């Protein structure tokens, strides 16, 4: 399992819409961001996740901004901060890299 830390920066564009169209805008935005991140990462290889962080962030921003528009929310920025690999995977990659050098 790969652990990914991401941050979503958003603001309320229309307070009335954010109160009337969704029960808890903060929770809904957070859950939508988590689901969107899982969906975007699920379509990529490990190498793709590590090398395409900016592309993943831009895709997430577009998807989230479109989905939260009816809630009166504007997603201003998404950052993929950190990708953490399990220790066993790190060891396997190191062993493979060492074997390739020999």
């Amino acid at each position: 399992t790969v652990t990914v830390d991401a941050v979503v920066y958003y603001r309320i564009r229309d307070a009335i819409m954010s109160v009337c169209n969704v029960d808890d805008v903060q929770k809904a935005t957070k859950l939508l961001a988590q689901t969107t991140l899982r969906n975007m990462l699920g379509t990529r290889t490990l190498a793709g996740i590590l090398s395409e962080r900016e592309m993943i962030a831009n895709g997430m921003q577009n998807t989230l901004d479109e989905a939260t528009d009816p809630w009166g929310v504007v997603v201003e920025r998404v950052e993929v901060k950190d990708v953490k690999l399990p220790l066993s995977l790190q060891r396997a990659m190191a062993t493979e890299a060492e074997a390739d050098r020999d």
Side-chain angles (χ1 to χ4, degrees), residues 23-37:
D23 287 335
D24 184 344
V25 72
Q26 184 175 357
K27 184 176 180 181
T29 303
K30 178 181 174 181
L31 291 174
L32 182 61
Q34 289 173 343
T35 303
T36 303
L37 181 60

Side-chain angles (χ1 to χ4, degrees), residues 36 55-68 75 78:
T36 303
M55 189 182 306
I56 292 168
N58 290 337
M60 279 189 65
Q61 180 179 350
N62 294 335
T63 301
L64 290 172
D65 195 37
E66 184 178 318
T68 59
V75 177
V78 175

Side-chain angles (χ1 to χ4, degrees), residues 43-57:
T43 62
R44 289 179 166 72
T45 64
L46 178 58
I49 292 171
L50 295 172
S51 65
E52 299 172 356
R53 290 162 66 166
E54 192 67 33
M55 189 182 306
I56 292 168

